Amino acid sequence: MMQKKIVICDDDEGILDMLVLALESDEYLIIPEQNSLNLYSLIEQEKPDLLLLDLWMPVLSGDQVLRSLRSNLQTQSLPVVVMSASTDGPTIAANAGATDYIAKPFDLDQLNDKVNQVLQSGLVK
């Protein structure tokens, strides 16, 4: 079976490391990225099956990234799960075109379930 590629973008290195450890498996190849500015070229290069995207990042925020991805034909159907500790995170994520949303801090089982769910359904909003 082919491994699914998941790109994770979060400016917090601790969270990034934890997510890589939590999700890396025979099923998933995890590609971490701390700088949201590198995301477009990384996605073009790696063609991931899923993007886990932090909402609040310096320079280029998650919702800005997401809007750009949704307006690009190459990436508009990429499933994107937005992560945020913000109370208005779900609204911002939905308005930017997120496939799904998970609140921080999250339970790793919950995260795993969400990732599996999105990848299996192949859903994109």
Side-chain angles (χ1 to χ4, degrees):
M1 188 179 96
M2 281 282 292
Q3 270 186 318
K4 298 268 192 193
K5 281 187 191 176
I6 302 175
V7 168
I8 303 175
C9 188
D10 196 312
D11 58 304
D12 183 322
E13 201 178 341
I15 291 179
L16 211 48
D17 290 347
M18 179 203 67
L19 288 170
V20 170
L21 285 170
L23 291 170
E24 200 145 42
S25 67
D26 296 341
E27 260 181 274
Y28 302 138
L29 173 69
I30 309 298
I31 304 157
E33 178 53 62
Q34 230 177 318
N35 185 340
S36 54
L37 290 174
N38 301 337
L39 214 46
Y40 302 117
S41 57
L42 184 68
I43 286 172
E44 206 171 293
Q45 194 184 321
E46 295 291 345
K47 311 234 181 307
D49 298 287
L50 175 65
L51 170 63
L52 286 180
L53 183 64
D54 184 31
L55 198 53
W56 300 125
M57 290 183 287
V59 193
L60 200 59
S61 68
D63 61 320
Q64 288 174 299
V65 169
L66 187 50
R67 285 177 206 282
S68 303
L69 292 173
R70 289 295 179 244
S71 64
N72 179 332
L73 280 171
Q74 302 296 309
T75 54
Q76 67 187 148
S77 61
L78 172 68
V80 179
V81 175
V82 170
M83 311 175 285
S84 176
S86 161
T87 47
D88 49 2
T91 311
I92 296 167
N95 290 342
T99 311
D100 212 330
Y101 175 84
I102 190 160
K104 285 181 176 178
F106 39 73
D107 177 286
L108 289 177
D109 291 338
Q110 187 189 3
L111 177 71
N112 258 311
D113 291 347
K114 181 86 71 183
V115 165
N116 291 332
Q117 194 185 333
V118 171
L119 283 172
Q120 282 165 6
S121 66
L123 270 187
V124 179
K125 280 210 171 133

